[in-house]
Amino acid sequence: MEKNNTNSKNIIELKSITKVYDDSFTAVNEFNLEVKRGEFVTFLGPSGCGKTTTLRMIAGFEIPTSGEILLNGTDISKLPPNKRPINTVFQRYALFPHLNIFDNIAFGLKLKKLSKAEIVKKVKKVLEMVDLEGFEDRKVQTLSGGQQQRIAIARALVNEPEILLLDEPLGALDLKMRKEMQLELKGMHDRLGITFIYVTHDQEEALTMSDKIVVMSEGKIQQIGTPEDIYNEPKNAFVADFIGESNIFNGIMTGKLRVRFCGAEFECLDDIENGTKIDAVVRPEDVIITTPEKGAVKGKVISVIFKGVHYEITVVSGKNEIVIQSTKSAKVGDEVGLLIEPDGIHIMVSETAQNNIETGIDKSYKLDILEGALNCDLTAIIPNSKYNENDILVDNNGDEIDISKLKVIVSVFPEDIEMSDDENAGVVCGNIINLIYKGDHYSYVVRTDEEEDFIVDDEYLWNMNDRVSLIIPEEKITYTLKK
Amino acid sequence: MKGIHFTRKQLCIPYALFLICFVIAPLFVIIYYAFTNGEGRFTVANLTGFFSSPNTIGTLAYSFGIAIVTTGVCLFAAYPIAYILARSNMKKKHAVVMMFVLPMWINFTLRITALKEILTLLEGNLAYHPFLNSVIGMTYDFLPFMILPIYTTLMNLDNSLLEAANDLGAGSIQTFFKVTLPLSVPGIVSGIVMVFLPSMTNYVVLDMLYNSTYIMGSLIGSYFSAYDWHNGSMIALILLLIILVFTLLTNRFEDETSNGRGGALL
């Protein structure tokens, strides 16, 4: 059955899904995704990024605040979970402790009123699939974590769902078991041809298993792509930082296929307009150590850590710190040269060079931001305006200007904001919700109590969730009127 | 200065003394009185007397009747309350739970006297409905003991189990009967134990309600007040055995329902 004009290959489509909780916290924001039949899709992101909420909306445990979830072209976003041909493998397995393994797996089949013989046959078959033949009469409590995990998968798969949802299913297992289960799950997916939607915060797990990865942060999709795309061509600094280790440097394009960062010029493969501010991402394994004379960048080794397959070497060059993975060791204190091949440099146009915050104006002509602490001369930004003798803002004809509809954009560069741990030092307080190391400084996102996000560059290391006060020098702020 | 050190054995001595004085010794006293007559000679007459007297057997049956009905009423009143409270998203639900437990903070005599006044107002003469009044009085007294264990088990119920049932195709009613109810059995059993046993013996409630009916407790009381230690002790002993059997049964039941995180909050 085909409805709308959706692609028949897509088993499920999420269209501008947004979930806002009662306390006005936006967990998922404008989420758009198409999943093809039989695909293995992974939602990847740090905790609190909205990946589990999205999965729960597909399962039916949460109803989206707005948007549509189309299953084979039909909107199911308001259907209860028991009416959806979708099954879930829960994070902590959620096996029924009062039932034995057989009854756990047969739970869904019995509700479908299948014949006893058929149920027995199906349970036996699915137990074989997860390598736990003959476990029918065992109690849940007598099983190890890995075995419980397999039963949870069997219990979901026995219902032959159109989509299998997996909510960090391997999170509670030890490393070796996790690796084994990753391969097994991947094998099961290939054999069964069922669509898998998988949630994890483990980037390696996502890269190993998925056909398609959806990287999420703060309720928004950062990038959708194949594991190779995500790893080799990260769209922004967040993705680059989250997927694998990377060196991220601020830089600038200096010519056709030429880029300057870390105090040196490099050839690159990304054709970006000359003079554009960029972030350059270099994977640690793409940096080649050579002699100081041959290197484009010269530096000094400050640490060497043996990591089994390779050494992790940290080199300081000027203000920049560069992490290198190499099979050859180096000595701390060595002067070395570094080379980077053009295909080892990935360039992203700096998305957030400036903080631009939109705000209204209150009745006393103060900006509705930072508790009116900013002194903005409205006559300078509203054309042909002046204050009359009653201190009312008027236009050329002397008529009062309706300020309630006007919006002012407050702009300040990240490097102009200073952070302090003295709450009274600056104009506003907030918590650090994100930090990315960019070679010679850290780029922070500070969320204020009024839910405004400021990007702040600072050379000192602060911790996630640190409470900081933002010092914004008055003269560094520019105001523009929103048209 | 040398500190004083006690071994674990030494620390146990006060408790052992307490148990000997107040549990084991009285038990032997009861057994002694139960199997002797007025002259201090061994006899089983008290035992045979209990089972041959229609009065005592009738009282036993009546006590069971009151206890079963009281427990049933408590269970059916408590489960929905506990369920609604445990499943609701109410912010101050502990306060509401406290409201149900609050009567226990008021002096027992005061509570029953108040109940007596209300019942008299409704019924006129309390003697007309002895059985009903007994059940009302005991339900009023014991309801919190049923609510609390059930509430605790329901509170500890892992929400993902309910979601899993829902996910596997069960509607809310099916989820209740296939998951919630079986998993709250430990709480129900604790509640039954806490209500059933006292309601067989707590004759003070009945006495205060001017109730002429006899339950096991009142029988013992009447023998003792007539200085008949022997028959009174025998009834006490029989009651003890009944309770023992009952407890063993429920314990086995709790073991079988596995995952026996029985919510004995009290």
Side-chain angles (χ1 to χ4, degrees):
Chain A
M1 190 171 64
E2 191 100 348
K3 283 184 188 173
N4 308 331
N5 41 4
T6 50
N7 189 339
S8 63
K9 275 186 183 163
N10 290 338
I11 186 163
I12 193 160
E13 287 177 36
L14 282 79
K15 291 191 165 173
S16 30
I17 292 292
T18 297
K19 177 74 188 176
V20 182
Y21 284 105
D22 302 337
D23 44 2
S24 74
F25 166 72
T26 308
V28 178
N29 199 349
E30 285 292 314
F31 191 99
N32 285 291
L33 179 70
E34 292 178 359
V35 178
K36 291 196 187 70
R37 191 173 296 278
E39 239 180 341
F40 195 128
V41 178
T42 300
F43 296 168
L44 175 67
S47 59
C49 74
K51 56 190 192 302
T52 296
T53 309
T54 311
L55 194 83
R56 289 173 60 80
M57 286 192 281
I58 299 174
F61 302 129
E62 309 269 357
I63 305 290
T65 312
S66 64
E68 279 185 321
I69 299 173
L70 302 178
L71 181 77
N72 296 320
T74 316
D75 186 16
I76 57 157
S77 59
K78 291 188 177 60
L79 230 55
N82 52 328
K83 298 267 191 290
R84 301 184 188 201
I86 296 173
N87 287 113
T88 309
V89 177
F90 291 84
Q91 203 165 8
R92 307 284 320 179
Y93 323 138
L95 298 177
F96 303 119
H98 60 299
L99 301 177
N100 65 16
I101 298 307
F102 177 87
D103 288 329
N104 259 287
I105 296 175
F107 195 91
L109 301 176
K110 283 181 183 167
L111 288 165
K112 282 187 197 143
K113 306 254 184 287
L114 292 182
S115 74
K116 178 87 183 148
E118 211 170 336
I119 293 176
V120 172
K121 208 178 96 192
K122 284 194 178 213
V123 171
K124 196 169 150 45
K125 208 177 129 199
V126 80
L127 275 174
E128 271 167 27
M129 198 172 75
V130 296
D131 269 337
L132 290 175
E133 297 97 332
F135 270 60
E136 279 94 339
D137 296 328
R138 295 278 289 270
K139 288 198 162 211
V140 173
Q141 296 83 349
T142 64
L143 265 54
S144 71
Q147 289 170 332
Q148 291 194 25
Q149 178 61 74
R150 285 156 198 260
I151 297 300
I153 293 166
R155 185 179 68 175
L157 282 177
V158 79
N159 300 293
E160 290 156 19
E162 291 207 39
I163 302 174
L164 183 71
L165 306 178
L166 301 108
D167 184 7
E168 307 216 14
L170 310 183
L173 302 179
D174 62 52
L175 185 68
K176 192 163 175 286
M177 192 63 148
R178 201 154 65 216
K179 299 264 180 213
E180 266 176 51
M181 283 301 290
Q182 282 175 12
L183 296 177
E184 256 178 75
L185 271 175
K186 182 79 187 137
M188 259 181 233
H189 171 256
D190 293 343
R191 280 203 306 282
L192 297 170
I194 293 177
T195 311
F196 277 38
I197 300 181
Y198 193 97
V199 160
T200 183
H201 62 266
D202 182 337
Q203 44 100 5
E204 202 195 322
E205 200 165 284
L207 293 173
T208 314
M209 303 171 81
S210 326
D211 296 326
K212 190 195 265 179
I213 296 177
V214 180
V215 185
M216 293 181 72
S217 165
E218 315 245 328
K220 286 196 192 113
I221 295 179
Q222 300 296 321
Q223 188 169 1
I224 302 178
T226 63
E228 289 86 354
D229 282 350
I230 301 268
Y231 190 83
N232 295 329
E233 301 285 320
K235 235 183 195 166
N236 56 39
F238 174 82
V239 178
D241 188 56
F242 194 74
I243 309 287
E245 280 183 78
S246 41
N247 297 292
I248 305 174
F249 307 104
N250 285 155
I252 190 161
M253 297 304 291
T254 50
K256 177 110 176 129
L257 301 183
R258 294 202 66 78
V259 63
R260 185 180 176 81
F261 61 88
C262 259
E265 243 188 35
F266 297 89
E267 241 180 275
C268 65
L269 302 177
D270 302 84
D271 192 4
I272 294 165
E273 200 187 332
N274 191 358
T276 313
K277 279 189 152 190
I278 55 101
D279 284 334
V281 177
V282 181
R283 297 287 177 191
E285 66 268 24
D286 290 334
V287 185
I288 304 154
I289 299 185
T290 172
T291 54
E293 304 80 55
K294 285 186 189 162
V297 178
K298 290 170 197 51
K300 194 174 173 187
V301 176
I302 57 160
S303 94
V304 178
I305 302 163
F306 180 59
K307 291 252 177 172
V309 186
H310 60 259
Y311 293 91
E312 190 175 288
I313 301 161
T314 311
V315 170
V316 166
S317 165
K319 277 159 68 192
N320 286 298
E321 242 177 53
I322 303 148
V323 178
I324 303 147
Q325 287 173 1
S326 169
T327 48
K328 288 190 205 107
S329 182
K331 266 206 242 47
V332 173
D334 277 359
E335 293 287 337
V336 293
L338 302 176
L339 280 176
I340 307 164
E341 294 290 320
D343 65 357
I345 300 169
H346 174 63
I347 292 177
M348 304 172 301
V349 176
S350 291
E351 70 221 78
T352 47
Q354 203 177 20
N355 290 296
N356 290 319
I357 293 165
E358 195 181 306
T359 173
I361 306 165
D362 71 9
K363 290 197 184 80
S364 54
Y365 300 117
K366 290 277 193 187
L367 295 184
D368 255 348
I369 182 175
L370 308 180
E371 292 161 351
L374 300 178
N375 290 315
C376 167
D377 182 9
L378 291 176
T379 55
I381 58 169
I382 303 174
N384 306 321
S385 65
K386 58 174 190 280
Y387 291 104
N388 69 6
E389 54 279 8
N390 297 327
D391 282 337
I392 291 170
L393 196 64
V394 292
D395 61 14
N396 266 348
N397 304 328
D399 296 327
E400 186 178 347
I401 295 173
D402 181 12
I403 49 164
S404 66
K405 293 221 175 59
L406 296 178
K407 296 274 181 208
V408 175
I409 296 169
V410 180
S411 308
V412 60
F413 285 102
E415 61 265 32
D416 290 336
I417 304 178
E418 233 185 283
M419 296 200 285
S420 162
D421 52 12
D422 174 7
E423 294 220 359
N424 300 318
V427 284
V428 67
C429 283
N431 295 313
I432 294 177
I433 58 162
N434 197 12
L435 69 100
I436 294 172
Y437 184 59
K438 289 200 173 168
D440 63 343
H441 68 269
Y442 294 88
S443 176
Y444 297 93
V445 179
V446 177
R447 178 164 291 172
T448 67
D449 302 335
E450 272 84 45
E451 298 272 313
E452 288 142 358
D453 288 348
F454 283 90
I455 301 153
V456 182
D457 287 350
D458 200 294
E459 57 185 294
Y460 299 108
L461 175 60
W462 297 76
N463 291 318
M464 281 295 277
N465 300 320
D466 271 359
R467 188 153 177 87
V468 293
S469 179
L470 299 181
I471 304 166
I472 309 176
E474 196 84 25
E475 66 276 10
K476 301 279 190 189
I477 304 174
T478 53
Y479 303 96
T480 41
L481 191 67
K482 196 191 173 196
K483 304 220 161 58
Chain B
M1 196 180 99
K2 261 192 182 175
I4 307 163
H5 290 282
F6 289 112
T7 62
R8 188 176 292 198
K9 265 186 192 163
Q10 287 168 325
L11 283 172
C12 284
I13 289 172
Y15 302 101
L17 283 176
F18 177 87
L19 287 176
I20 288 167
C21 290
F22 294 102
V23 180
I24 297 170
L27 206 61
F28 277 103
V29 173
I30 287 178
I31 294 172
Y32 169 77
Y33 274 114
F35 288 102
T36 52
N37 60 15
E39 286 108 46
R41 284 205 209 100
F42 175 79
T43 175
V44 287
N46 301 329
L47 184 67
T48 51
F50 179 87
F51 286 104
S52 54
S53 157
N55 181 28
T56 49
I57 292 294
T59 309
L60 184 66
Y62 193 79
S63 301
F64 263 110
I66 284 190
I68 289 168
V69 174
T70 304
T71 311
V73 171
C74 278
L75 182 60
F76 281 101
Y79 201 96
I81 297 169
Y83 183 82
I84 292 166
L85 284 173
R87 309 291 328 151
S88 81
N89 291 324
M90 222 185 319
K91 281 204 182 87
K92 303 246 184 247
K93 63 179 161 191
H94 284 289
V96 181
V97 175
M98 237 39 247
M99 296 278 283
F100 284 99
V101 182
L102 200 68
M104 290 203 298
W105 297 358
I106 298 166
N107 180 279
F108 168 78
T109 332
L110 209 64
R111 253 186 297 157
I112 298 299
T113 311
L115 184 68
K116 187 178 82 190
E117 294 307 322
I118 294 169
L119 287 178
T120 312
L121 209 66
L122 291 171
E123 295 175 8
N125 191 338
L126 288 180
Y128 291 152
H129 308 283
F131 190 86
L132 178 70
N133 288 346
S134 309
V135 171
I136 291 175
M138 296 220 191
T139 304
Y140 177 53
D141 213 29
F142 300 137
L143 190 62
F145 296 99
M146 188 64 97
I147 293 177
L148 283 179
I150 297 177
Y151 172 75
T152 315
T153 16
L154 288 175
M155 280 298 282
N156 288 332
L157 194 64
D158 185 354
N159 201 41
S160 68
L161 293 176
L162 307 182
E163 286 186 345
N166 202 204
D167 186 69
L168 292 167
S172 49
I173 294 169
Q174 283 166 318
T175 303
F176 177 78
F177 284 106
K178 282 176 178 285
V179 181
T180 313
L181 192 59
L183 287 177
S184 55
V185 164
I188 295 174
V189 171
S190 308
I192 289 175
V193 172
M194 288 204 195
V195 173
F196 187 82
L197 299 178
S199 53
M200 269 187 69
T201 51
N202 192 340
Y203 70 99
V204 182
V205 176
L206 305 193
D207 263 10
M208 290 191 60
L209 289 174
Y210 292 137
N211 207 314
S212 54
T213 52
Y214 256 44
I215 58 171
M216 293 301 278
S218 12
L219 207 57
I220 300 171
S222 67
Y223 275 121
F224 278 7
S225 48
Y227 303 105
D228 183 350
W229 309 116
H230 307 283
N231 275 308
S233 297
M234 178 49 81
I235 297 169
L237 194 64
I238 288 167
L239 207 55
L240 208 69
L241 289 174
I242 293 172
I243 291 168
L244 186 71
V245 170
F246 188 79
T247 314
L248 287 176
L249 279 178
T250 50
N251 273 352
R252 235 185 90 183
F253 194 55
E254 270 189 336
D255 287 344
E256 274 175 11
T257 51
S258 66
N259 199 28
R261 42 181 184 202
L265 189 129
L266 292 169

